[in-house]
Amino acid sequence: VQLQASGGGLVQPGGSLRLSCTASGFIRGSYNMGWLRRAPGKGRQGEGVACISSSDGTPYYGDSVKGRFTISQDNTKNMVHLQLDGLKPEDTAVYHCATTTLGCGVMITPPISYDYRGQGTQVTVSS
């Protein structure tokens, strides 16, 4: 399984970014996909940000991003996107795409778990 994330960058508070993840090496539909983030000093495992059910497209979000982030999927292209709006300095982290064969809850509710995690993309929110 390979997961390639892109779309990170530097943005001012209140700004927006769109992250994308391209997956390969597995049958789409057999995994739920989502995003977690890791910031210095906030735990090695990271924080679950969002996950989307491969079967029915139901999204799940961490409490800190609800109402600001939106996850979507394109099953024809094995891609998952994360729209980040209303960004705050505390959103600064490396964002990783991840997969799980279990329900999305395991990727959102601490302690989070996942089967595969890709190389991340840096998101920095600063004025």
Side-chain angles (χ1 to χ4, degrees):
V1 175
Q2 290 188 325
L3 302 167
Q4 182 64 50
S6 62
L10 171 65
V11 63
Q12 293 186 342
S16 298
L17 284 172
R18 180 175 170 85
L19 308 182
S20 295
C21 174
T22 302
S24 61
F26 67 94
I27 299 172
R28 187 71 182 101
S30 61
Y31 287 81
N32 294 318
M33 292 181 66
W35 295 86
L36 60 97
R37 63 187 183 187
R38 302 168 73 201
K42 294 190 177 181
R44 189 169 62 91
Q45 189 70 355
E47 174 190 7
V49 175
C51 180
I52 188 164
S53 169
S54 62
S55 60
D56 62 11
T58 301
Y60 300 82
Y61 298 99
D63 288 341
S64 62
V65 307
K66 282 180 181 176
R68 299 188 297 123
F69 292 6
T70 304
I71 189 170
S72 60
Q73 63 185 353
D74 182 347
N75 286 339
T76 63
K77 298 181 180 180
N78 268 7
M79 295 185 72
V80 172
H81 307 284
L82 186 67
Q83 179 67 37
L84 291 69
D85 296 316
L87 282 161
K88 305 175 182 179
E90 52 263 44
D91 294 319
T92 296
V94 177
Y95 285 69
H96 299 266
C97 183
T99 66
T100 179
T101 55
L102 302 177
C104 274
V106 302
M107 203 184 294
I108 298 297
T109 304
I112 65 169
S113 66
Y114 47 84
D115 297 317
Y116 297 98
R117 185 193 76 200
Q119 295 285 347
T121 184
Q122 176 72 44
V123 172
T124 303
V125 186
S126 175
S127 55

